[in-house]
Amino acid sequence: MIDYEAHLSGAARRYQESAIRRIGALSASIPDLVSFAAGSPAVETFPWEALQEIVAGLLARRDGAALQYGATRGYRPLIEDVVHLLARRGVDAAPDQIVITTGSQQGLDFVGRIFIDPGAPALVELPTYSGAIAAFRNLEADLVGVRQDDEGLSIEGLTEAAQALARAGRPARFVYVTPNFQNPAGLLMSRARRRELLEAARRLDLLIVEDDPYGSLYFEDAAVEADTRPLKADDADGRVVYLGSMSKTLVPGFRVAWLVAPAPVAARVELAKQAADLCSGVFDQRVVHAALASGLVDRMAPGLRAHYQAKRTVMERALGETLAGQLSWRSPRGGFFLWVRLPEGVRDTDLLDRALAAKVSFVPGSAFFVDGGGHDRARLSFSNPTPERIVEGARRLAIALAGADVRQAPKAQSREPRA
């Protein structure tokens, strides 16, 4: 028998599986599971007929380039679409600053590859997106957490962490943030805090990696559109690397996303991409371009916001009725998630074991912390389950919290708001 471990690199031995993927694989063996774990878009929002028409049109033209290898940077008309999308949100970007990536996750991997040396520190929020933790740690980064407050990333905490690293002769290269409806905390960074973060980055000589998958999925009032203005829009000195995606606003299966950076950084990303995959899926990019050019994405946006706002309301109501104040959370103004505080004395991983036995899943809060914390938290996704399943999942979660038998629990009543 070959000892494959002996042949692995040191980095490969330290690779960490995504907590969300691990829970998903575990959950796949549980029939009738209600999943609050994966932040997947709702299947009922997918524009089946419109995409069928677009795909049929592309194939009918028999343009060989649509099915051939493409440019590493991406399909040029799609890159120009991204320029226009960014301009509508206040970001002035040129085509040579944009690289189309296979999902934002690939963009995070490229960021790590061009900025992280083994053992080098990078700053992330407490909590932060688990996919970023995996991408950076697999590249052997030393991740240092910075606390949040009600307005977003703490500038005082950022300054303390960055200065301590600099004094130790290990300056951080960048800070990773998700200003809009952060995954997992759902926080919307205030406008004032965004200005303070840009100024602190200049003062501390940090790059900012801005991840923005949820910026257009705001709820309630149009004023939030101004509140979600990207940091990149006010980046006066080329300090922000920006990641955007179509996964949450069109469909995730195309894996079409983009990285926007100063031209010298984008050129390095292009080299990393040449080694990784040569090019993202060209046919997928052409479908997304057609969806943008036809106005499909713009037409979908109001319905998506209403859909996810309604599901958020269903989950909040169901948890309130079924759990009688055992959980607490800040109501998110957009995005996919509730970030809940567990009852005192309840540990996230222990609760997950009981929850899976009751046929409901979530992501333990500790999966989003790089300092060992978060065991008093859980991330509940309302994006994918139907309203009826959200209500049923809340009932099962109450069973898990009580340690009760599934058969003994009463059915919760659904009061579904209109989308």
Side-chain angles (χ1 to χ4, degrees), residues 309-373:
Q309 179 174 340
K311 284 191 172 181
R312 177 208 61 182
T313 302
V314 169
M315 178 172 276
E316 290 185 321
R317 183 178 297 160
L319 294 176
E321 291 177 350
T322 309
L323 288 151
Q326 294 183 69
L327 304 178
S328 60
W329 63 88
R330 175 195 297 271
S331 185
R333 298 171 65 193
F336 281 4
F337 309 109
L338 289 192
W339 180 237
V340 303
R341 187 180 297 279
L342 302 177
E344 186 175 356
V346 175
R347 187 176 175 86
D348 60 341
T349 49
D350 294 338
L351 178 60
L352 179 61
D353 290 339
R354 297 201 299 272
L356 290 173
K359 296 190 175 184
V360 62
S361 66
F362 61 86
V363 183
S366 53
F368 303 98
F369 282 76
V370 298
D371 66 348

Short mmCIF file of all heavy atoms in Angstrom, two decimals, residues 309-373:
data_model
loop_
_atom_site.label_atom_id
_atom_site.label_comp_id
_atom_site.label_asym_id
_atom_site.label_seq_id
_atom_site.Cartn_x
_atom_site.Cartn_y
_atom_site.Cartn_z
N GLN A 309 -36.70 39.12 0.99
CA GLN A 309 -37.22 39.85 2.14
C GLN A 309 -38.39 39.08 2.77
O GLN A 309 -38.49 38.97 3.99
CB GLN A 309 -37.68 41.25 1.73
CG GLN A 309 -38.25 42.04 2.90
CD GLN A 309 -38.58 43.48 2.53
OE1 GLN A 309 -38.05 44.00 1.55
NE2 GLN A 309 -39.44 44.11 3.31
N ALA A 310 -39.27 38.53 1.92
CA ALA A 310 -40.41 37.76 2.44
C ALA A 310 -39.93 36.54 3.20
O ALA A 310 -40.46 36.20 4.27
CB ALA A 310 -41.33 37.37 1.29
N LYS A 311 -38.91 35.85 2.68
CA LYS A 311 -38.40 34.67 3.37
C LYS A 311 -37.73 35.05 4.69
O LYS A 311 -37.84 34.31 5.68
CB LYS A 311 -37.42 33.92 2.47
CG LYS A 311 -38.10 33.11 1.37
CD LYS A 311 -37.11 32.19 0.69
CE LYS A 311 -37.82 31.24 -0.27
NZ LYS A 311 -36.87 30.31 -0.93
N ARG A 312 -37.02 36.16 4.70
CA ARG A 312 -36.46 36.62 5.97
C ARG A 312 -37.56 36.81 7.01
O ARG A 312 -37.44 36.39 8.17
CB ARG A 312 -35.70 37.93 5.78
CG ARG A 312 -35.14 38.50 7.08
CD ARG A 312 -35.02 40.02 7.04
NE ARG A 312 -36.33 40.65 6.85
CZ ARG A 312 -36.50 41.97 6.75
NH1 ARG A 312 -35.44 42.77 6.78
NH2 ARG A 312 -37.70 42.48 6.59
N THR A 313 -38.67 37.43 6.58
CA THR A 313 -39.77 37.67 7.51
C THR A 313 -40.38 36.37 8.00
O THR A 313 -40.72 36.23 9.18
CB THR A 313 -40.84 38.55 6.82
OG1 THR A 313 -40.22 39.78 6.40
CG2 THR A 313 -41.98 38.85 7.77
N VAL A 314 -40.53 35.40 7.10
CA VAL A 314 -41.05 34.09 7.50
C VAL A 314 -40.15 33.47 8.56
O VAL A 314 -40.63 32.96 9.59
CB VAL A 314 -41.17 33.15 6.28
CG1 VAL A 314 -41.45 31.72 6.72
CG2 VAL A 314 -42.26 33.63 5.34
N MET A 315 -38.84 33.49 8.35
CA MET A 315 -37.93 32.87 9.31
C MET A 315 -37.97 33.60 10.65
O MET A 315 -38.03 32.96 11.71
CB MET A 315 -36.50 32.84 8.76
CG MET A 315 -35.50 32.24 9.76
SD MET A 315 -33.85 31.96 9.07
CE MET A 315 -34.09 30.36 8.29
N GLU A 316 -37.93 34.92 10.61
CA GLU A 316 -37.96 35.66 11.87
C GLU A 316 -39.24 35.38 12.64
O GLU A 316 -39.22 35.19 13.87
CB GLU A 316 -37.80 37.16 11.60
CG GLU A 316 -36.42 37.53 11.11
CD GLU A 316 -36.23 39.02 10.95
OE1 GLU A 316 -37.17 39.71 10.50
OE2 GLU A 316 -35.14 39.51 11.30
N ARG A 317 -40.36 35.36 11.94
CA ARG A 317 -41.64 35.09 12.60
C ARG A 317 -41.69 33.67 13.15
O ARG A 317 -42.13 33.43 14.29
CB ARG A 317 -42.79 35.32 11.63
CG ARG A 317 -44.18 35.14 12.23
CD ARG A 317 -45.24 35.44 11.19
NE ARG A 317 -45.18 36.83 10.76
CZ ARG A 317 -45.69 37.29 9.62
NH1 ARG A 317 -46.30 36.45 8.79
NH2 ARG A 317 -45.60 38.56 9.31
N ALA A 318 -41.23 32.70 12.35
CA ALA A 318 -41.27 31.31 12.79
C ALA A 318 -40.38 31.08 14.01
O ALA A 318 -40.76 30.38 14.95
CB ALA A 318 -40.85 30.39 11.64
N LEU A 319 -39.18 31.66 14.00
CA LEU A 319 -38.30 31.51 15.15
C LEU A 319 -38.88 32.19 16.38
O LEU A 319 -38.79 31.66 17.50
CB LEU A 319 -36.92 32.10 14.83
CG LEU A 319 -36.09 31.39 13.76
CD1 LEU A 319 -34.80 32.16 13.50
CD2 LEU A 319 -35.77 29.95 14.16
N GLY A 320 -39.49 33.36 16.17
CA GLY A 320 -40.09 34.06 17.30
C GLY A 320 -41.24 33.29 17.90
O GLY A 320 -41.39 33.21 19.13
N GLU A 321 -42.08 32.70 17.07
CA GLU A 321 -43.25 31.96 17.57
C GLU A 321 -42.86 30.63 18.19
O GLU A 321 -43.42 30.21 19.21
CB GLU A 321 -44.23 31.71 16.41
CG GLU A 321 -44.91 32.96 15.90
CD GLU A 321 -45.80 32.67 14.70
OE1 GLU A 321 -45.74 31.54 14.17
OE2 GLU A 321 -46.56 33.58 14.30
N THR A 322 -41.90 29.95 17.56
CA THR A 322 -41.59 28.58 17.95
C THR A 322 -40.58 28.50 19.09
O THR A 322 -40.64 27.61 19.93
CB THR A 322 -41.04 27.79 16.75
OG1 THR A 322 -41.92 27.95 15.64
CG2 THR A 322 -40.91 26.31 17.06
N LEU A 323 -39.65 29.46 19.12
CA LEU A 323 -38.57 29.38 20.09
C LEU A 323 -38.72 30.35 21.25
O LEU A 323 -37.90 30.37 22.17
CB LEU A 323 -37.22 29.62 19.38
CG LEU A 323 -36.84 28.42 18.51
CD1 LEU A 323 -35.98 28.83 17.34
CD2 LEU A 323 -36.11 27.39 19.35
N ALA A 324 -39.76 31.17 21.21
CA ALA A 324 -40.14 31.99 22.36
C ALA A 324 -38.96 32.74 22.99
O ALA A 324 -38.72 32.66 24.19
CB ALA A 324 -40.83 31.12 23.40
N GLY A 325 -38.21 33.45 22.16
CA GLY A 325 -37.15 34.31 22.68
C GLY A 325 -35.86 33.61 23.05
O GLY A 325 -34.96 34.23 23.63
N GLN A 326 -35.72 32.33 22.71
CA GLN A 326 -34.47 31.63 23.06
C GLN A 326 -33.30 32.10 22.20
O GLN A 326 -32.15 32.02 22.63
CB GLN A 326 -34.65 30.12 22.89
CG GLN A 326 -35.63 29.48 23.85
CD GLN A 326 -35.69 27.98 23.65
OE1 GLN A 326 -34.72 27.26 23.93
NE2 GLN A 326 -36.81 27.50 23.14
N LEU A 327 -33.58 32.53 20.97
CA LEU A 327 -32.55 33.04 20.08
C LEU A 327 -32.71 34.55 19.94
O LEU A 327 -33.81 35.08 20.01
CB LEU A 327 -32.66 32.40 18.69
CG LEU A 327 -32.60 30.88 18.62
CD1 LEU A 327 -32.76 30.43 17.17
CD2 LEU A 327 -31.31 30.34 19.20
N SER A 328 -31.58 35.23 19.70
CA SER A 328 -31.64 36.67 19.42
C SER A 328 -30.80 36.95 18.19
O SER A 328 -29.84 36.24 17.90
CB SER A 328 -31.15 37.49 20.61
OG SER A 328 -29.80 37.15 20.93
N TRP A 329 -31.17 38.02 17.46
CA TRP A 329 -30.45 38.37 16.24
C TRP A 329 -30.79 39.81 15.85
O TRP A 329 -31.79 40.38 16.29
CB TRP A 329 -30.83 37.43 15.09
CG TRP A 329 -32.28 37.50 14.69
CD1 TRP A 329 -32.86 38.34 13.79
CD2 TRP A 329 -33.36 36.70 15.24
NE1 TRP A 329 -34.21 38.12 13.72
CE2 TRP A 329 -34.55 37.12 14.58
CE3 TRP A 329 -33.43 35.69 16.19
CZ2 TRP A 329 -35.79 36.55 14.87
CZ3 TRP A 329 -34.66 35.13 16.48
CH2 TRP A 329 -35.83 35.56 15.82
N ARG A 330 -29.95 40.35 15.01
CA ARG A 330 -30.21 41.65 14.39
C ARG A 330 -30.86 41.39 13.04
O ARG A 330 -30.32 40.64 12.23
CB ARG A 330 -28.90 42.42 14.20
CG ARG A 330 -29.06 43.75 13.44
CD ARG A 330 -27.70 44.25 12.98
NE ARG A 330 -26.84 44.53 14.11
CZ ARG A 330 -26.79 45.70 14.73
NH1 ARG A 330 -27.56 46.70 14.30
NH2 ARG A 330 -25.99 45.89 15.74
N SER A 331 -32.01 42.00 12.78
CA SER A 331 -32.71 41.74 11.53
C SER A 331 -31.90 42.29 10.36
O SER A 331 -31.61 43.50 10.31
CB SER A 331 -34.10 42.41 11.55
OG SER A 331 -34.82 42.07 10.38
N PRO A 332 -31.52 41.44 9.40
CA PRO A 332 -30.70 41.92 8.29
C PRO A 332 -31.52 42.76 7.32
O PRO A 332 -32.70 42.50 7.10
CB PRO A 332 -30.22 40.62 7.63
CG PRO A 332 -31.28 39.62 7.95
CD PRO A 332 -31.80 40.00 9.30
N ARG A 333 -30.89 43.73 6.70
CA ARG A 333 -31.55 44.60 5.71
C ARG A 333 -31.31 44.11 4.29
O ARG A 333 -31.67 44.78 3.33
CB ARG A 333 -31.05 46.03 5.88
CG ARG A 333 -31.38 46.63 7.24
CD ARG A 333 -30.69 47.97 7.44
NE ARG A 333 -31.17 48.98 6.50
CZ ARG A 333 -30.57 50.15 6.30
NH1 ARG A 333 -29.42 50.43 6.92
NH2 ARG A 333 -31.07 51.02 5.45
N GLY A 334 -30.71 42.95 4.14
CA GLY A 334 -30.45 42.37 2.84
C GLY A 334 -29.71 41.05 3.00
O GLY A 334 -29.40 40.62 4.11
N GLY A 335 -29.45 40.40 1.88
CA GLY A 335 -28.67 39.17 1.90
C GLY A 335 -29.49 37.93 2.17
O GLY A 335 -30.71 37.90 1.94
N PHE A 336 -28.82 36.90 2.69
CA PHE A 336 -29.40 35.56 2.79
C PHE A 336 -29.48 35.01 4.21
O PHE A 336 -30.00 33.90 4.39
CB PHE A 336 -28.53 34.57 1.99
CG PHE A 336 -28.76 34.59 0.49
CD1 PHE A 336 -29.62 35.48 -0.13
CD2 PHE A 336 -28.09 33.67 -0.32
CE1 PHE A 336 -29.81 35.48 -1.50
CE2 PHE A 336 -28.28 33.65 -1.69
CZ PHE A 336 -29.13 34.55 -2.28
N PHE A 337 -28.97 35.70 5.24
CA PHE A 337 -28.70 35.03 6.49
C PHE A 337 -29.24 35.74 7.72
O PHE A 337 -29.25 36.98 7.79
CB PHE A 337 -27.18 34.86 6.69
CG PHE A 337 -26.49 34.24 5.50
CD1 PHE A 337 -25.66 35.00 4.70
CD2 PHE A 337 -26.69 32.91 5.18
CE1 PHE A 337 -25.02 34.45 3.60
CE2 PHE A 337 -26.06 32.34 4.08
CZ PHE A 337 -25.22 33.11 3.29
N LEU A 338 -29.61 34.93 8.72
CA LEU A 338 -29.78 35.38 10.09
C LEU A 338 -28.57 34.89 10.89
O LEU A 338 -28.21 33.71 10.80
CB LEU A 338 -31.05 34.82 10.74
CG LEU A 338 -32.42 35.33 10.31
CD1 LEU A 338 -33.47 34.85 11.30
CD2 LEU A 338 -32.47 36.83 10.17
N TRP A 339 -27.99 35.78 11.66
CA TRP A 339 -26.84 35.46 12.50
C TRP A 339 -27.35 35.47 13.94
O TRP A 339 -27.55 36.52 14.52
CB TRP A 339 -25.75 36.48 12.27
CG TRP A 339 -24.47 36.35 13.02
CD1 TRP A 339 -23.91 37.29 13.83
CD2 TRP A 339 -23.54 35.25 12.98
NE1 TRP A 339 -22.70 36.86 14.31
CE2 TRP A 339 -22.45 35.60 13.80
CE3 TRP A 339 -23.54 34.02 12.33
CZ2 TRP A 339 -21.35 34.76 13.99
CZ3 TRP A 339 -22.45 33.18 12.53
CH2 TRP A 339 -21.38 33.54 13.34
N VAL A 340 -27.60 34.30 14.50
CA VAL A 340 -28.32 34.22 15.76
C VAL A 340 -27.37 33.91 16.92
O VAL A 340 -26.37 33.21 16.78
CB VAL A 340 -29.44 33.15 15.71
CG1 VAL A 340 -30.42 33.46 14.57
CG2 VAL A 340 -28.89 31.75 15.55
N ARG A 341 -27.72 34.49 18.06
CA ARG A 341 -27.03 34.18 19.31
C ARG A 341 -27.79 33.06 20.01
O ARG A 341 -29.01 33.14 20.18
CB ARG A 341 -26.94 35.40 20.21
CG ARG A 341 -26.08 35.17 21.46
CD ARG A 341 -26.02 36.41 22.33
NE ARG A 341 -25.39 37.53 21.65
CZ ARG A 341 -24.08 37.71 21.53
NH1 ARG A 341 -23.24 36.81 22.04
NH2 ARG A 341 -23.59 38.76 20.90
N LEU A 342 -27.07 32.03 20.41
CA LEU A 342 -27.68 30.87 21.04
C LEU A 342 -27.95 31.14 22.53
O LEU A 342 -27.33 32.04 23.12
CB LEU A 342 -26.78 29.64 20.89
CG LEU A 342 -26.42 29.25 19.45
CD1 LEU A 342 -25.47 28.06 19.45
CD2 LEU A 342 -27.67 28.93 18.64
N PRO A 343 -28.85 30.37 23.13
CA PRO A 343 -29.08 30.53 24.57
C PRO A 343 -27.80 30.29 25.36
O PRO A 343 -26.92 29.53 24.94
CB PRO A 343 -30.13 29.46 24.88
CG PRO A 343 -30.79 29.17 23.57
CD PRO A 343 -29.73 29.36 22.54
N GLU A 344 -27.70 30.93 26.50
CA GLU A 344 -26.51 30.78 27.34
C GLU A 344 -26.29 29.31 27.68
O GLU A 344 -27.22 28.58 28.05
CB GLU A 344 -26.68 31.59 28.62
CG GLU A 344 -25.44 31.61 29.50
CD GLU A 344 -25.58 32.52 30.70
OE1 GLU A 344 -26.63 33.19 30.81
OE2 GLU A 344 -24.64 32.53 31.53
N GLY A 345 -25.06 28.86 27.53
CA GLY A 345 -24.71 27.49 27.85
C GLY A 345 -24.87 26.52 26.71
O GLY A 345 -24.49 25.35 26.83
N VAL A 346 -25.44 26.95 25.57
CA VAL A 346 -25.60 26.08 24.41
C VAL A 346 -24.42 26.29 23.46
O VAL A 346 -24.14 27.42 23.06
CB VAL A 346 -26.93 26.36 23.68
CG1 VAL A 346 -27.02 25.52 22.41
CG2 VAL A 346 -28.11 26.06 24.59
N ARG A 347 -23.74 25.22 23.12
CA ARG A 347 -22.57 25.29 22.23
C ARG A 347 -22.99 24.93 20.81
O ARG A 347 -23.72 23.96 20.59
CB ARG A 347 -21.49 24.35 22.74
CG ARG A 347 -20.15 24.44 22.03
CD ARG A 347 -19.16 23.51 22.71
NE ARG A 347 -17.87 23.46 22.01
CZ ARG A 347 -16.87 24.29 22.19
NH1 ARG A 347 -17.00 25.26 23.09
NH2 ARG A 347 -15.74 24.18 21.53
N ASP A 348 -22.49 25.67 19.84
CA ASP A 348 -22.94 25.51 18.45
C ASP A 348 -22.78 24.11 17.91
O ASP A 348 -23.69 23.55 17.29
CB ASP A 348 -22.23 26.53 17.55
CG ASP A 348 -20.71 26.38 17.55
OD1 ASP A 348 -20.15 25.75 18.47
OD2 ASP A 348 -20.07 26.90 16.61
N THR A 349 -21.63 23.48 18.12
CA THR A 349 -21.39 22.17 17.55
C THR A 349 -22.23 21.09 18.23
O THR A 349 -22.66 20.13 17.59
CB THR A 349 -19.89 21.81 17.63
OG1 THR A 349 -19.42 22.06 18.97
CG2 THR A 349 -19.09 22.68 16.66
N ASP A 350 -22.46 21.25 19.54
CA ASP A 350 -23.33 20.30 20.23
C ASP A 350 -24.77 20.43 19.72
O ASP A 350 -25.46 19.42 19.51
CB ASP A 350 -23.31 20.56 21.74
CG ASP A 350 -21.95 20.26 22.35
OD1 ASP A 350 -21.17 19.49 21.74
OD2 ASP A 350 -21.65 20.81 23.43
N LEU A 351 -25.20 21.67 19.51
CA LEU A 351 -26.55 21.88 19.00
C LEU A 351 -26.69 21.31 17.60
O LEU A 351 -27.74 20.75 17.25
CB LEU A 351 -26.89 23.37 19.00
CG LEU A 351 -28.27 23.74 18.45
CD1 LEU A 351 -29.38 23.07 19.25
CD2 LEU A 351 -28.45 25.26 18.41
N LEU A 352 -25.64 21.42 16.78
CA LEU A 352 -25.72 20.87 15.42
C LEU A 352 -25.96 19.36 15.45
O LEU A 352 -26.74 18.84 14.66
CB LEU A 352 -24.45 21.19 14.64
CG LEU A 352 -24.41 20.64 13.21
CD1 LEU A 352 -25.54 21.22 12.36
CD2 LEU A 352 -23.06 20.92 12.56
N ASP A 353 -25.29 18.66 16.35
CA ASP A 353 -25.52 17.21 16.45
C ASP A 353 -26.98 16.91 16.74
O ASP A 353 -27.59 16.03 16.11
CB ASP A 353 -24.64 16.62 17.56
CG ASP A 353 -23.16 16.62 17.19
OD1 ASP A 353 -22.85 16.68 15.99
OD2 ASP A 353 -22.32 16.55 18.12
N ARG A 354 -27.58 17.66 17.67
CA ARG A 354 -28.98 17.43 18.01
C ARG A 354 -29.89 17.87 16.86
O ARG A 354 -30.93 17.26 16.60
CB ARG A 354 -29.35 18.17 19.29
CG ARG A 354 -28.59 17.69 20.52
CD ARG A 354 -29.29 18.05 21.81
NE ARG A 354 -29.46 19.48 21.99
CZ ARG A 354 -28.55 20.27 22.57
NH1 ARG A 354 -27.41 19.75 23.01
NH2 ARG A 354 -28.78 21.56 22.71
N ALA A 355 -29.48 18.94 16.17
CA ALA A 355 -30.30 19.43 15.06
C ALA A 355 -30.34 18.42 13.92
O ALA A 355 -31.40 18.17 13.33
CB ALA A 355 -29.74 20.77 14.56
N LEU A 356 -29.20 17.82 13.59
CA LEU A 356 -29.19 16.82 12.53
C LEU A 356 -30.06 15.62 12.90
O LEU A 356 -30.72 15.03 12.04
CB LEU A 356 -27.76 16.39 12.24
CG LEU A 356 -26.87 17.45 11.57
CD1 LEU A 356 -25.42 16.97 11.50
CD2 LEU A 356 -27.38 17.81 10.19
N ALA A 357 -30.07 15.28 14.18
CA ALA A 357 -30.95 14.19 14.62
C ALA A 357 -32.42 14.56 14.45
O ALA A 357 -33.27 13.70 14.20
CB ALA A 357 -30.66 13.85 16.08
N ALA A 358 -32.71 15.87 14.56
CA ALA A 358 -34.08 16.36 14.35
C ALA A 358 -34.36 16.71 12.90
O ALA A 358 -35.42 17.26 12.57
CB ALA A 358 -34.33 17.57 15.24
N LYS A 359 -33.37 16.47 12.02
CA LYS A 359 -33.49 16.69 10.58
C LYS A 359 -33.59 18.16 10.20
O LYS A 359 -34.40 18.57 9.37
CB LYS A 359 -34.67 15.89 10.00
CG LYS A 359 -34.51 14.39 10.13
CD LYS A 359 -35.56 13.64 9.34
CE LYS A 359 -35.30 12.14 9.38
NZ LYS A 359 -36.27 11.39 8.54
N VAL A 360 -32.73 18.96 10.80
CA VAL A 360 -32.55 20.35 10.38
C VAL A 360 -31.06 20.68 10.52
O VAL A 360 -30.39 20.14 11.41
CB VAL A 360 -33.41 21.31 11.23
CG1 VAL A 360 -33.03 21.27 12.71
CG2 VAL A 360 -33.33 22.73 10.70
N SER A 361 -30.54 21.49 9.63
CA SER A 361 -29.11 21.82 9.68
C SER A 361 -28.90 23.32 9.66
O SER A 361 -29.76 24.09 9.22
CB SER A 361 -28.36 21.17 8.51
OG SER A 361 -28.78 21.72 7.28
N PHE A 362 -27.74 23.73 10.14
CA PHE A 362 -27.29 25.13 10.09
C PHE A 362 -25.77 25.09 10.11
O PHE A 362 -25.16 24.01 10.21
CB PHE A 362 -27.84 25.93 11.27
CG PHE A 362 -27.41 25.41 12.62
CD1 PHE A 362 -26.21 25.79 13.19
CD2 PHE A 362 -28.21 24.50 13.31
CE1 PHE A 362 -25.80 25.31 14.42
CE2 PHE A 362 -27.80 23.99 14.55
CZ PHE A 362 -26.59 24.40 15.10
N VAL A 363 -25.13 26.25 10.01
CA VAL A 363 -23.67 26.30 10.10
C VAL A 363 -23.28 26.83 11.48
O VAL A 363 -23.73 27.92 11.87
CB VAL A 363 -23.07 27.20 9.01
CG1 VAL A 363 -21.54 27.14 9.08
CG2 VAL A 363 -23.52 26.74 7.63
N PRO A 364 -22.48 26.08 12.23
CA PRO A 364 -22.04 26.56 13.53
C PRO A 364 -21.28 27.88 13.42
O PRO A 364 -20.50 28.09 12.48
CB PRO A 364 -21.11 25.45 14.03
CG PRO A 364 -21.51 24.23 13.26
CD PRO A 364 -21.95 24.74 11.92
N GLY A 365 -21.51 28.76 14.37
CA GLY A 365 -20.86 30.06 14.33
C GLY A 365 -19.35 29.99 14.34
O GLY A 365 -18.66 30.83 13.75
N SER A 366 -18.80 28.98 14.99
CA SER A 366 -17.35 28.87 15.11
C SER A 366 -16.67 28.66 13.76
O SER A 366 -15.47 28.90 13.61
CB SER A 366 -16.98 27.72 16.06
OG SER A 366 -17.62 26.51 15.68
N ALA A 367 -17.43 28.23 12.73
CA ALA A 367 -16.85 28.05 11.40
C ALA A 367 -16.41 29.37 10.78
O ALA A 367 -15.64 29.37 9.82
CB ALA A 367 -17.86 27.37 10.48
N PHE A 368 -16.87 30.49 11.34
CA PHE A 368 -16.60 31.81 10.75
C PHE A 368 -15.60 32.62 11.57
O PHE A 368 -15.39 33.80 11.28
CB PHE A 368 -17.92 32.58 10.63
CG PHE A 368 -18.97 31.86 9.83
CD1 PHE A 368 -19.97 31.14 10.46
CD2 PHE A 368 -18.95 31.88 8.45
CE1 PHE A 368 -20.93 30.47 9.72
CE2 PHE A 368 -19.91 31.22 7.71
CZ PHE A 368 -20.91 30.50 8.35
N PHE A 369 -15.01 32.02 12.57
CA PHE A 369 -14.06 32.72 13.43
C PHE A 369 -12.68 32.12 13.27
O PHE A 369 -12.52 30.89 13.29
CB PHE A 369 -14.49 32.63 14.89
CG PHE A 369 -15.60 33.56 15.26
CD1 PHE A 369 -16.91 33.31 14.89
CD2 PHE A 369 -15.34 34.73 15.99
CE1 PHE A 369 -17.94 34.17 15.22
CE2 PHE A 369 -16.36 35.60 16.33
CZ PHE A 369 -17.66 35.33 15.95
N VAL A 370 -11.66 32.97 13.16
CA VAL A 370 -10.29 32.48 13.03
C VAL A 370 -9.55 32.48 14.36
O VAL A 370 -8.37 32.12 14.40
CB VAL A 370 -9.49 33.34 12.01
CG1 VAL A 370 -10.12 33.23 10.63
CG2 VAL A 370 -9.38 34.80 12.46
N ASP A 371 -10.25 32.85 15.44
CA ASP A 371 -9.61 32.92 16.75
C ASP A 371 -10.15 31.88 17.72
O ASP A 371 -9.90 31.96 18.92
CB ASP A 371 -9.75 34.31 17.35
CG ASP A 371 -11.20 34.67 17.68
OD1 ASP A 371 -12.12 33.94 17.24
OD2 ASP A 371 -11.41 35.68 18.37
N GLY A 372 -10.93 30.91 17.22
CA GLY A 372 -11.48 29.89 18.10
C GLY A 372 -12.79 30.27 18.75
O GLY A 372 -13.36 29.48 19.51
N GLY A 373 -13.32 31.45 18.45
CA GLY A 373 -14.56 31.91 19.07
C GLY A 373 -15.78 31.50 18.26
O GLY A 373 -15.72 30.68 17.35
#
